[in-house]
Amino acid sequence: MQHDLIAQARTWLAEDPDPETREELAALIEAGDTQELAARFAGTLQFGTAGLRGELGAGPLRMNRSVVIRAAAGLAAYLKAQGREGGLVVIGYDARYKSADFARDTAAVMTGAGLRAAVLPRPLPTPVLAYAIRHLGAVAGVEVTASHNPPRDNGYKVYLGDGSQIVPPADGEIAAAIAAVGPLAGVVRPEDGWETLGEEVLEAYLARTDAVLAAGSPRTARTVHTAMHGVGTSVLTAAFDRAGFPAPVLVAEQAEPDPAFPTVAFPNPEEPGAMDLAFATARRAAPDLVIANDPDADRCAVAVPDPSVEGGWRMLRGDEVGALLAAHLVERGASGVFAESIVSSSLLGRIAEKAGLGYEETLTGFKWIARVEGLRYGYEEALGYCVDPEGVRDKDGITAALLVAELASVLKERGRTLLDLLDDLALAHGLHATDQLSVRVEDLSVIADAMARLREQPPTALAGLAVTSAEDLSRGTDRLPPTDGLRYHLEGARVIVRPSGTEPKLKCYLEVVVPVADAAGLPAARARGAELLAGIKRDLAAAAGI
């Protein structure tokens, strides 16, 4: 076994094109570190509906140039089998470690396989790549990013020519094509022959961002912005400037790309402490809003002044922003379908119904939301918003930020705030309070065990609310394809439990709906909502054994 492992590692080493990972692997072989080698060679990174994502390092269970070259070769073979020979593949990348190398390798493989390749001019937000696919008439797109994962991770996200991320059966067919790739020596990789795009593709995207705003709308909201050490600063500030908003005050420590993400434990606005510097900047600048993008700027977080909380600033939940943007679009006279994933708040459905608009629920992820027919607006509670589906068929943290700033400006002119509008929505539809129980694990078997336990012994009540129905989503429903998840309906509440698709986490999404008779009843309704959510979280953790 040990001998086989060393032999496997030597074979990998012989064809690794990257001096850095070669040195790393050679040292492990030399040291006879079979435990670490086993952790890297016990399988391969699985290509799924999020593409690839994992820790950087040598070996088939890490993200590295060898893995990326195989992925690109498999994608090229799939595209050619689909009759896309000679088609354009556009490639974008963020500012993480190795991202530029992985983008260049992908361009070389596509060129060598007889496809045309074009690489974005520099590290840019993921939505620019999603836009460029349709704008340039590409047959596919690749974005090298690990979004808001830890610094040592990177990833590889694949889109097809419709500008949406891949879904079954394409993901399985691409995975099979990757598995069929032989030795790397057989993958043709020329030194040049692809195009590096100029700034005109970004200019076209920025020209499109204006389309999300209403002509002549107020543009007075003052913002603080953090890019979370990612690639969002220059694009967001350019978009705000074009639209005529005041220039955002930047969180200086986080404005420039830095793959080490030195000021945050996790570069995700939802993680504890990630917004501390933004709030400190806001206390000095006194803006109307704080806007945060994650490192590849496809997500948008919003915080508002709130004197009732410590520090005076409160981050809005993704579901709150999702409802606010929906209400704003309804007031602007939007038509079409509103859509969200099953883990997002049911408030969107109530807003759409009252406005006489279509409404769809999808599986988790914008790969599903973006495919809804007639989509006008889609969102997901994890800070993802698609406000211009004709331009970008994915979540877009730049255009979402513009729309939030427009809404804040409209309300400001009326002497009102985003919190006032949330109160209006609670009075119209009931107070929808949401929370999440999220458990990060070292050992993935903890997640499997928790799911198995809940399937074998489903809870009959949570926080004193009776469970009225329990669905195992792995069997699919009349409206949803199968997915690994559980959904419980309670009296006045809903719970969904699922493993994360991109991180080693078990995620539980909780929602309670508390009726509110009048404005005077809002504080009591909020207190009741918080009490129920805390109780559900406690009882669910016990039921899952986590």
Side-chain angles (χ1 to χ4, degrees):
M1 178 73 176
Q2 184 173 333
H3 178 73
D4 289 351
L5 192 59
I6 297 288
Q8 201 181 345
R10 287 193 194 284
T11 302
W12 184 275
L13 180 66
E15 62 173 22
D16 187 341
D18 187 335
E20 199 175 315
T21 44
R22 282 176 61 81
E23 187 181 328
E24 180 188 308
L25 186 54
L28 292 173
I29 294 169
E30 181 71 25
D33 190 343
T34 51
Q35 187 177 347
E36 184 60 29
L37 287 171
R40 293 156 181 259
F41 286 87
T44 58
L45 274 186
Q46 291 305 299
F47 186 92
T49 43
L52 294 168
R53 201 176 283 190
E55 187 179 341
L56 291 164
L61 271 172
R62 296 287 185 268
M63 281 297 294
N64 51 63
R65 290 184 58 199
S66 297
V67 164
V68 164
I69 289 165
R70 286 182 182 281
L75 175 59
Y78 166 82
L79 291 170
K80 288 163 74 175
Q82 298 287 316
R84 305 298 191 189
E85 180 92 38
L88 175 68
V89 178
V90 61
I91 302 151
Y93 59 104
D94 67 10
R96 284 177 176 266
Y97 296 118
K98 299 286 183 186
S99 286
D101 293 344
F102 295 167
R104 186 181 188 282
D105 282 330
T106 301
V109 171
M110 295 300 161
T111 304
L115 291 145
R116 291 180 296 125
V119 183
L120 292 185
R122 53 191 165 89
L124 286 167
T126 293
V128 178
L129 180 275
Y131 168 80
I133 294 164
R134 297 178 72 209
H135 175 66
L136 298 172
V139 298
V142 171
E143 176 70 17
V144 181
T145 182
S147 190
H148 56 277
N149 275 38
R152 287 302 303 165
D153 287 5
N154 213 327
Y156 199 80
K157 192 185 284 192
V158 175
Y159 298 75
L160 293 181
D162 62 355
S164 301
Q165 294 177 51
I166 51 168
V167 294
D171 58 343
E173 292 167 4
I174 295 169
I178 293 169
V181 175
L184 284 194
V187 178
V188 179
R189 287 183 291 132
E191 286 296 313
D192 51 35
W194 56 90
E195 180 186 1
T196 299
L197 295 165
E199 293 293 316
E200 61 276 4
V201 69
L202 177 60
E203 273 303 306
Y205 167 82
L206 285 169
R208 177 82 204 185
T209 61
D210 299 350
V212 306
L213 302 173
S217 64
R219 314 276 167 93
T220 55
R222 294 169 54 252
T223 55
V224 158
H225 176 257
T226 174
M228 222 40 79
H229 298 295
V231 298
T233 298
S234 64
V235 180
L236 181 129
T237 52
F240 270 57
D241 181 53
R242 291 176 70 104
F245 285 103
V249 175
L250 302 180
V251 179
E253 303 93 329
Q254 299 174 334
E256 293 303 315
D258 186 337
F261 303 107
T263 67
V264 289
F266 288 95
N268 177 355
E270 294 178 294
E271 293 282 348
M275 295 290 284
D276 288 356
L277 285 170
F279 291 160
T281 306
R283 284 190 283 274
R284 292 193 300 271
D288 301 301
L289 288 175
V290 171
I291 288 172
N293 292 124
D294 67 338
D296 68 327
D298 61 351
R299 288 175 168 82
C300 175
V302 179
V304 293
D306 186 345
S308 72
V309 300
E310 188 181 345
W313 280 85
R314 174 163 87 82
M315 175 119 141
L316 298 180
R317 301 193 70 84
D319 283 319
E320 291 176 311
V321 177
L324 288 167
L325 291 178
H328 181 46
L329 290 170
V330 165
E331 184 176 314
R332 276 182 30 183
S335 58
V337 178
F338 282 10
E340 64 181 340
S341 61
I342 56 171
V343 300
S344 305
S345 171
S346 58
L347 178 55
L348 184 71
R350 293 184 169 93
I351 292 171
E353 183 182 17
K354 188 170 183 181
L357 298 174
Y359 168 73
E360 288 287 338
E361 235 184 5
T362 74
L363 292 184
T364 310
F366 270 82
K367 56 185 178 279
W368 299 108
I369 294 170
R371 285 183 157 73
V372 167
E373 202 168 322
L375 181 68
R376 172 60 186 88
Y377 167 63
Y379 98 91
E380 189 156 75
E381 56 71 48
L383 311 182
Y385 313 93
C386 175
V387 300
D388 177 25
E390 288 306 305
V392 175
R393 290 193 178 172
D394 199 0
K395 54 187 176 292
D396 182 345
I398 306 297
T399 49
L402 285 170
L403 201 61
V404 169
E406 179 184 64
L407 170 58
S409 301
V410 169
L411 292 169
K412 187 177 178 179
E413 295 229 328
R414 299 172 186 169
R416 307 187 77 232
T417 67
L418 296 179
L419 293 181
D420 293 330
L421 182 51
L422 284 173
D423 287 349
D424 293 351
L425 292 172
L427 292 171
H429 305 286
L431 178 81
H432 289 61
T434 58
D435 201 357
Q436 200 182 112
L437 171 62
S438 180
V439 183
R440 186 180 290 273
V441 301
E442 293 290 324
D443 180 358
L444 289 176
S445 69
V446 173
I447 294 175
D449 291 348
M451 295 297 289
R453 182 168 168 161
L454 288 170
R455 284 190 167 105
E456 287 159 17
Q457 296 176 294
T460 55
L462 296 168
L465 303 176
V467 175
T468 55
S469 70
E471 294 170 278
D472 187 341
L473 298 175
S474 66
R475 301 187 180 120
T477 73
D478 56 346
R479 300 189 66 83
L480 296 169
T483 187
D484 187 11
L486 301 163
R487 178 162 60 180
Y488 304 110
H489 291 282
L490 299 87
E491 292 171 355
R494 185 212 65 198
V495 172
I496 292 170
V497 184
R498 61 179 280 273
S500 168
T502 55
E503 297 177 273
K505 281 182 174 181
L506 181 68
K507 301 183 101 170
C508 312
Y509 304 85
L510 326 174
E511 178 177 50
V512 298
V513 184
V514 183
V516 196
D518 52 35
L522 278 168
R526 282 206 181 85
R528 176 63 177 154
E531 177 193 350
L532 286 171
L533 287 171
I536 292 172
K537 198 184 277 195
R538 179 193 63 235
D539 293 352
L540 185 63
I546 51 178

